[in-house]
Amino acid sequence: VQLQASGGGLVQAGGSLRLSCAASGRTFSNYFMGWFRQAPGKEREFVARITWSGARKDYADSVKGRFTISRDNAKNTVYLQMNNLKPDDTAVYYCAAGISGWSNGKYNYWGQGTQVTVSS
């Protein structure tokens, strides 16, 4: 499956952005989806994930209450709504798709990143 992330940009602290990740190539609804981010000089970190049905969502502690992951299987797209953004949220954001690795966090496909920059 091919993943295309978009929606990044420059925003002031306290602002909002919505990232999108469009999937193509295989049946999107078979995959659980995740968002990750990597800041300069830091390792990639988990942000959020969602099951194929959308029934379960998990978040990193650092984004709980501010970010919301969702998906629209009819549009083959997963979203990350980011509110009350902080400078520490500045990173390249990546989406990923996994088919059977929910329990161990294994993802099979990765998209290219989209830059999010939050100014103070």
Side-chain angles (χ1 to χ4, degrees):
V1 67
Q2 292 79 45
L3 303 173
Q4 179 76 36
S6 62
L10 174 63
V11 64
Q12 289 187 332
S16 299
L17 282 174
R18 188 176 82 155
L19 305 183
S20 299
C21 176
S24 62
R26 295 198 177 184
T27 305
F28 177 70
S29 59
N30 287 345
Y31 294 86
F32 67 93
M33 301 295 296
W35 285 97
F36 292 76
R37 66 187 182 185
Q38 187 168 20
K42 296 186 177 180
E43 294 188 353
R44 185 175 63 195
E45 64 174 359
F46 165 77
V47 175
R49 65 177 183 171
I50 186 170
T51 54
W52 68 270
S53 67
R56 178 175 171 178
K57 304 173 185 180
D58 294 330
Y59 297 92
D61 288 343
S62 58
V63 307
K64 280 181 182 176
R66 301 188 298 121
F67 290 12
T68 302
I69 189 171
S70 62
R71 67 189 295 162
D72 185 338
N73 287 342
K75 295 183 178 180
N76 290 350
T77 302
V78 63
Y79 305 97
L80 185 69
Q81 177 66 43
M82 305 186 295
N83 298 329
N84 190 21
L85 283 160
K86 304 176 181 180
D88 284 349
D89 295 319
T90 295
V92 177
Y93 284 71
Y94 299 90
C95 59
I99 194 161
S100 61
W102 178 268
S103 61
N104 60 12
K106 180 180 177 181
Y107 292 81
N108 302 91
Y109 303 98
W110 292 83
Q112 95 297 349
T114 185
Q115 176 71 47
V116 172
T117 303
V118 184
S119 63
S120 57

